[in-house]
């Protein structure tokens, strides 16, 4: 009689997370509303399940408040994040009493919050849920969906990025970074000229919060979190472009994809330029005062200084 096979050994959690981290995925924020309160959480374990009928599959940790809210609401929204929205992903990944602070939303067909700046969204009614391990697998029937132009935010081996076939070539070209920084400055100057005088306090306060986030990620002339700093920098300048309330203009900025370009230029050093921080502080002050001329001067000055900083770093590294 043959002996019974040895039982399969179980791998430890750390090994599992390390290996499964090699599976690149998109990044989503799952939202819902229960008892009049919005809920949301960042999730990468989301995929399409069926086209007929249209269905989505999402896995959520049962310990998260959003998981219980979805059960109570009977539905959820899959908000697909776009490239450059790393900070938004981090915001919804952290425990917080108000994850929606500073986040623009609209109400979807299921009376649930939809992130206005997301690349795409799918509203789903829960048809089935299955508990497995620490998570609940949600099977949702899609009742409404929408997608805009742009590139998705990607997640791979614990880091955010984007699915872009020529990103490495662009990132390794200092000229591409300098041109992108200059283009962003011109775009911002145009938006300031046409929109600043008429914007409300809420939009300007959003810009101030974005700057504060960037400002806390450096200590004098040292970046305490290089990737986080440049994500915050991109968010700050994107908020300025968003003053135009024109998705087409914002999409032009997103296509410049400055975060990885700037981070690549900075690679190898955590030193930053205090002068670049200060000119952006002056820019913020001019924006809050709705001083079009001063804001235009500072945004173009910042762009010129950032281009020169890129040249210096590229020359120092031999790129």
């Amino acid at each position: 009689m043959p002996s019974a096979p040895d039982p399969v050994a179980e791998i430890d959690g750390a090994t599992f997370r390390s290996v499964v981290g090699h599976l690149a995925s998109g990044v989503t924020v799952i939202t819902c509303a229960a008892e009049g309160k919005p809920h949301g959480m960042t999730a990468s374990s989301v995929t399409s399940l069926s086209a007929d009928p249209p269905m989505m599959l999402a896995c959520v940790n049962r310990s998260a408040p959003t998981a219980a809210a979805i059960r109570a609401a009977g539905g959820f929204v899959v908000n697909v994040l776009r490239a450059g929205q790393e900070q938004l992903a981090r915001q919804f990944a952290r425990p917080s009493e108000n994850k929606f602070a500073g986040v623009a939303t609209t109400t979807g067909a299921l009376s649930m919050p939809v992130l206005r700046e997301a690349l795409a969204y799918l509203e789903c009614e829960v048809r089935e849920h299955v508990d497995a391990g620490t998570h609940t697998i949600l099977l949702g029937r899609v009742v409404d969906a929408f997608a805009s132009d742009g590139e998705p935010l990607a997640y791979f081996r614990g880091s955010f990025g984007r699915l872009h076939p020529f990103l490495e070539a662009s990132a390794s070209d200092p000229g591409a970074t300098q041109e992108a920084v200059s283009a962003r400055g011109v775009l911002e100057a145009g938006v300031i000229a046409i929109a600043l005088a008429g914007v409300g306090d809420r939009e300007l306060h959003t810009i101030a919060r974005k700057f504060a986030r960037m400002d806390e990620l450096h200590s004098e002339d040292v970046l305490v979190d290089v990737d986080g700093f440049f994500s915050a920098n991109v968010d700050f300048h994107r908020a300025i472009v968003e003053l135009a309330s024109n998705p087409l203009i914002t999409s032009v900025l997103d296509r410049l994809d400055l975060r990885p370009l700037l981070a690549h230029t900075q690679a190898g050093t955590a030193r930053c330029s205090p002068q670049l921080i200060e000119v952006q502080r002056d820019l913020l002050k001019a924006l809050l005062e709705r001083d079009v001329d001063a804001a235009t001067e500072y945004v173009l000055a910042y762009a010129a200084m950032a281009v020169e900083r890129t040249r210096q770093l590229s020359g120092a590294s031999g790129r």
Side-chain angles (χ1 to χ4, degrees):
M1 179 177 177
S3 60
D6 292 334
V8 177
E10 293 186 359
I11 67 170
D12 61 273
T15 300
F16 172 75
R17 286 190 292 272
S18 174
V19 174
V20 81
H22 289 71
L23 178 63
S25 64
V27 183
T28 73
V29 169
I30 296 178
T31 56
C32 72
E35 299 180 352
K37 181 181 178 180
H39 296 264
M41 62 183 293
T42 301
S44 57
S45 296
V46 177
T47 186
S48 59
L49 178 64
S50 166
D52 186 18
M55 297 190 70
M56 293 292 293
L57 182 152
C59 299
V60 297
N61 194 314
R62 288 201 304 280
S63 66
T66 301
I70 290 172
R71 290 207 184 204
F76 59 94
V77 182
V78 176
N79 300 273
V80 182
L81 299 190
R82 65 175 70 245
Q85 290 186 319
E86 295 93 333
Q87 182 55 38
L88 193 60
R90 293 188 180 99
Q91 180 169 329
F92 278 91
R94 291 190 291 259
S96 171
E97 288 297 317
N98 185 12
K99 292 186 178 183
F100 290 81
V103 179
T105 64
T106 187
T107 302
L110 297 177
S111 299
M112 296 187 184
V114 175
L115 305 189
R116 290 180 57 184
E117 297 302 321
L119 176 65
Y121 68 83
L122 303 101
E123 298 184 69
C124 307
E125 293 178 337
V126 175
R127 290 301 174 88
E128 211 174 325
H129 54 77
V130 179
D131 291 338
T134 58
H135 283 58
T136 293
I137 303 169
L138 302 169
L139 306 182
R141 171 71 181 266
V142 179
V143 299
D144 192 24
F146 174 81
S148 57
D149 291 335
E151 301 291 337
L153 179 64
Y155 190 73
F156 177 66
R157 296 184 65 184
S159 299
F160 294 111
R162 67 181 289 175
L163 304 174
H164 207 298
F166 40 83
L167 177 58
E168 284 299 320
S170 297
S172 62
D173 179 5
T177 304
Q178 294 159 20
E179 290 172 0
V181 170
S182 295
R184 182 176 69 177
V186 172
L187 189 62
E188 289 177 287
V191 168
I192 289 168
I194 64 174
L196 180 58
V199 300
D201 291 341
R202 181 178 179 180
E203 289 83 356
L204 294 177
H205 290 160
T206 296
I207 293 174
R209 285 196 300 271
K210 302 290 187 182
F211 177 84
R213 172 59 181 163
M214 179 179 67
D215 201 26
E216 69 184 14
L217 292 175
H218 74 95
S219 177
E220 296 182 351
D221 62 346
V222 175
L223 300 180
V224 298
D225 178 352
V226 174
D227 287 341
F229 177 85
F230 285 115
S231 292
N233 176 275
V234 168
D235 286 346
F236 169 60
H237 288 276
R238 190 175 193 272
I240 296 173
V241 173
E242 287 174 344
L243 293 178
S245 299
N246 188 321
L248 290 178
I249 295 177
T250 306
S251 70
V252 171
L253 176 66
D254 290 340
R255 289 178 182 276
L256 294 176
D257 199 23
L258 269 165
R259 190 206 64 79
L261 296 178
L262 293 171
H264 187 275
T265 300
Q266 188 75 24
T269 178
R271 309 292 292 186
C272 69
S273 167
Q275 292 80 10
L276 280 173
I277 303 295
E278 290 309 308
V279 75
Q280 290 177 97
R281 198 184 307 279
D282 291 336
L283 168 59
L284 174 62
K285 183 175 183 292
L287 291 170
L288 294 176
E289 295 174 351
R290 294 182 175 82
D291 187 333
V292 173
D293 291 340
T296 301
E297 177 183 347
Y298 286 127
V299 80
L300 293 177
Y302 166 73
M305 291 169 64
V307 167
E308 181 57 31
R309 174 67 173 169
T310 300
R311 289 198 184 101
Q312 292 172 357
L313 291 174
S314 299
S317 65
R319 289 199 294 268

mmCIF file of all heavy atoms in Angstrom, residues 5 97 115 117 140 145 151 153 157 181 216 235 248 265 271-272 294 297 305:
data_model
loop_
_atom_site.group_PDB
_atom_site.id
_atom_site.type_symbol
_atom_site.label_atom_id
_atom_site.label_comp_id
_atom_site.label_asym_id
_atom_site.label_seq_id
_atom_site.Cartn_x
_atom_site.Cartn_y
_atom_site.Cartn_z
ATOM 1 N N PRO A 5 0.878 10.891 0.648
ATOM 2 C CA PRO A 5 1.824 11.976 0.348
ATOM 3 C C PRO A 5 1.958 12.927 1.525
ATOM 4 O O PRO A 5 1.039 13.098 2.319
ATOM 5 C CB PRO A 5 1.181 12.669 -0.864
ATOM 6 C CG PRO A 5 -0.278 12.347 -0.760
ATOM 7 C CD PRO A 5 -0.324 10.962 -0.173
ATOM 8 N N GLU A 97 -11.130 59.412 10.243
ATOM 9 C CA GLU A 97 -12.536 59.726 10.467
ATOM 10 C C GLU A 97 -13.150 60.390 9.255
ATOM 11 O O GLU A 97 -14.360 60.363 9.061
ATOM 12 C CB GLU A 97 -12.679 60.634 11.697
ATOM 13 C CG GLU A 97 -12.421 59.937 13.020
ATOM 14 C CD GLU A 97 -13.428 58.819 13.293
ATOM 15 O OE1 GLU A 97 -14.624 59.035 13.042
ATOM 16 O OE2 GLU A 97 -13.004 57.735 13.728
ATOM 17 N N LEU A 115 -15.771 59.482 -7.051
ATOM 18 C CA LEU A 115 -14.652 60.424 -7.066
ATOM 19 C C LEU A 115 -14.599 61.121 -8.417
ATOM 20 O O LEU A 115 -14.392 60.487 -9.455
ATOM 21 C CB LEU A 115 -13.332 59.693 -6.794
ATOM 22 C CG LEU A 115 -13.267 58.851 -5.516
ATOM 23 C CD1 LEU A 115 -11.846 58.376 -5.280
ATOM 24 C CD2 LEU A 115 -13.778 59.622 -4.308
ATOM 25 N N GLU A 117 -12.445 63.059 -9.846
ATOM 26 C CA GLU A 117 -11.180 63.105 -10.582
ATOM 27 C C GLU A 117 -10.652 61.721 -10.946
ATOM 28 O O GLU A 117 -9.541 61.608 -11.471
ATOM 29 C CB GLU A 117 -10.131 63.855 -9.758
ATOM 30 C CG GLU A 117 -10.475 65.314 -9.500
ATOM 31 C CD GLU A 117 -10.667 66.100 -10.784
ATOM 32 O OE1 GLU A 117 -9.907 65.855 -11.740
ATOM 33 O OE2 GLU A 117 -11.568 66.947 -10.837
ATOM 34 N N GLY A 140 -20.406 42.024 -7.825
ATOM 35 C CA GLY A 140 -21.317 43.134 -8.047
ATOM 36 C C GLY A 140 -21.784 43.246 -9.484
ATOM 37 O O GLY A 140 -20.977 43.140 -10.414
ATOM 38 N N ALA A 145 -21.375 52.919 -15.591
ATOM 39 C CA ALA A 145 -19.917 52.964 -15.728
ATOM 40 C C ALA A 145 -19.527 54.127 -16.621
ATOM 41 O O ALA A 145 -20.284 54.533 -17.513
ATOM 42 C CB ALA A 145 -19.382 51.653 -16.306
ATOM 43 N N GLU A 151 -4.118 57.939 -18.183
ATOM 44 C CA GLU A 151 -3.362 56.729 -17.874
ATOM 45 C C GLU A 151 -3.687 56.281 -16.457
ATOM 46 O O GLU A 151 -3.872 57.103 -15.561
ATOM 47 C CB GLU A 151 -1.861 56.995 -17.995
ATOM 48 C CG GLU A 151 -1.410 57.461 -19.369
ATOM 49 C CD GLU A 151 -1.521 56.362 -20.410
ATOM 50 O OE1 GLU A 151 -1.509 55.177 -20.019
ATOM 51 O OE2 GLU A 151 -1.622 56.695 -21.604
ATOM 52 N N LEU A 153 -3.203 54.604 -12.643
ATOM 53 C CA LEU A 153 -2.201 54.433 -11.601
ATOM 54 C C LEU A 153 -1.968 52.934 -11.425
ATOM 55 O O LEU A 153 -2.919 52.157 -11.400
ATOM 56 C CB LEU A 153 -2.688 55.043 -10.286
ATOM 57 C CG LEU A 153 -1.755 54.933 -9.069
ATOM 58 C CD1 LEU A 153 -0.463 55.704 -9.317
ATOM 59 C CD2 LEU A 153 -2.452 55.459 -7.825
ATOM 60 N N ARG A 157 5.110 45.710 -6.459
ATOM 61 C CA ARG A 157 6.132 45.495 -5.442
ATOM 62 C C ARG A 157 6.171 46.638 -4.425
ATOM 63 O O ARG A 157 7.224 47.153 -4.086
ATOM 64 C CB ARG A 157 7.502 45.309 -6.097
ATOM 65 C CG ARG A 157 7.590 44.065 -6.964
ATOM 66 C CD ARG A 157 8.981 43.860 -7.531
ATOM 67 N NE ARG A 157 9.956 43.602 -6.484
ATOM 68 C CZ ARG A 157 11.267 43.455 -6.691
ATOM 69 N NH1 ARG A 157 11.742 43.539 -7.925
ATOM 70 N NH2 ARG A 157 12.090 43.206 -5.694
ATOM 71 N N VAL A 181 8.597 70.143 -17.289
ATOM 72 C CA VAL A 181 8.498 71.157 -16.233
ATOM 73 C C VAL A 181 8.148 72.517 -16.842
ATOM 74 O O VAL A 181 7.288 73.248 -16.313
ATOM 75 C CB VAL A 181 9.817 71.239 -15.439
ATOM 76 C CG1 VAL A 181 9.813 72.454 -14.516
ATOM 77 C CG2 VAL A 181 10.027 69.973 -14.621
ATOM 78 N N GLU A 216 5.676 69.514 4.448
ATOM 79 C CA GLU A 216 6.048 68.709 5.611
ATOM 80 C C GLU A 216 6.961 67.531 5.248
ATOM 81 O O GLU A 216 7.457 66.846 6.138
ATOM 82 C CB GLU A 216 4.790 68.182 6.305
ATOM 83 C CG GLU A 216 4.014 67.142 5.512
ATOM 84 C CD GLU A 216 2.725 66.715 6.199
ATOM 85 O OE1 GLU A 216 2.297 67.400 7.136
ATOM 86 O OE2 GLU A 216 2.145 65.690 5.776
ATOM 87 N N ASP A 235 0.620 66.920 -6.969
ATOM 88 C CA ASP A 235 -0.737 67.204 -6.497
ATOM 89 C C ASP A 235 -0.953 68.706 -6.321
ATOM 90 O O ASP A 235 -2.024 69.236 -6.651
ATOM 91 C CB ASP A 235 -1.005 66.497 -5.176
ATOM 92 C CG ASP A 235 -1.205 65.003 -5.338
ATOM 93 O OD1 ASP A 235 -1.408 64.544 -6.479
ATOM 94 O OD2 ASP A 235 -1.145 64.271 -4.326
ATOM 95 N N LEU A 248 -10.239 68.710 -19.885
ATOM 96 C CA LEU A 248 -9.302 68.582 -21.004
ATOM 97 C C LEU A 248 -7.951 69.203 -20.653
ATOM 98 O O LEU A 248 -6.892 68.648 -20.967
ATOM 99 C CB LEU A 248 -9.883 69.247 -22.251
ATOM 100 C CG LEU A 248 -11.081 68.548 -22.893
ATOM 101 C CD1 LEU A 248 -11.576 69.358 -24.085
ATOM 102 C CD2 LEU A 248 -10.716 67.143 -23.323
ATOM 103 N N THR A 265 15.058 62.034 -11.723
ATOM 104 C CA THR A 265 16.110 63.044 -11.732
ATOM 105 C C THR A 265 16.749 63.179 -10.352
ATOM 106 O O THR A 265 17.955 63.369 -10.217
ATOM 107 C CB THR A 265 15.530 64.406 -12.166
ATOM 108 O OG1 THR A 265 14.970 64.277 -13.479
ATOM 109 C CG2 THR A 265 16.602 65.474 -12.192
ATOM 110 N N ARG A 271 18.922 65.591 -1.160
ATOM 111 C CA ARG A 271 19.076 67.035 -0.997
ATOM 112 C C ARG A 271 18.073 67.755 -1.875
ATOM 113 O O ARG A 271 17.811 67.350 -3.013
ATOM 114 C CB ARG A 271 20.488 67.481 -1.383
ATOM 115 C CG ARG A 271 21.594 66.704 -0.735
ATOM 116 C CD ARG A 271 21.690 66.928 0.750
ATOM 117 N NE ARG A 271 22.113 68.278 1.106
ATOM 118 C CZ ARG A 271 22.367 68.656 2.362
ATOM 119 N NH1 ARG A 271 22.214 67.798 3.365
ATOM 120 N NH2 ARG A 271 22.750 69.881 2.627
ATOM 121 N N CYS A 272 17.485 68.804 -1.360
ATOM 122 C CA CYS A 272 16.546 69.596 -2.150
ATOM 123 C C CYS A 272 16.982 71.049 -2.140
ATOM 124 O O CYS A 272 17.914 71.436 -1.423
ATOM 125 C CB CYS A 272 15.117 69.449 -1.615
ATOM 126 S SG CYS A 272 14.850 70.201 0.004
ATOM 127 N N ALA A 294 1.336 88.551 -9.750
ATOM 128 C CA ALA A 294 2.371 87.955 -8.899
ATOM 129 C C ALA A 294 2.384 86.444 -9.023
ATOM 130 O O ALA A 294 3.451 85.821 -9.100
ATOM 131 C CB ALA A 294 2.147 88.363 -7.442
ATOM 132 N N GLU A 297 4.071 85.496 -12.197
ATOM 133 C CA GLU A 297 5.523 85.690 -12.083
ATOM 134 C C GLU A 297 6.171 84.547 -11.308
ATOM 135 O O GLU A 297 7.194 83.999 -11.727
ATOM 136 C CB GLU A 297 5.805 87.021 -11.380
ATOM 137 C CG GLU A 297 7.287 87.289 -11.141
ATOM 138 C CD GLU A 297 7.529 88.588 -10.380
ATOM 139 O OE1 GLU A 297 6.582 89.389 -10.251
ATOM 140 O OE2 GLU A 297 8.665 88.782 -9.888
ATOM 141 N N MET A 305 13.462 77.824 -12.383
ATOM 142 C CA MET A 305 14.379 77.322 -11.354
ATOM 143 C C MET A 305 14.391 75.800 -11.318
ATOM 144 O O MET A 305 15.437 75.173 -11.118
ATOM 145 C CB MET A 305 13.968 77.879 -9.995
ATOM 146 C CG MET A 305 14.189 79.383 -9.860
ATOM 147 S SD MET A 305 13.401 80.077 -8.364
ATOM 148 C CE MET A 305 14.322 79.221 -7.082
#
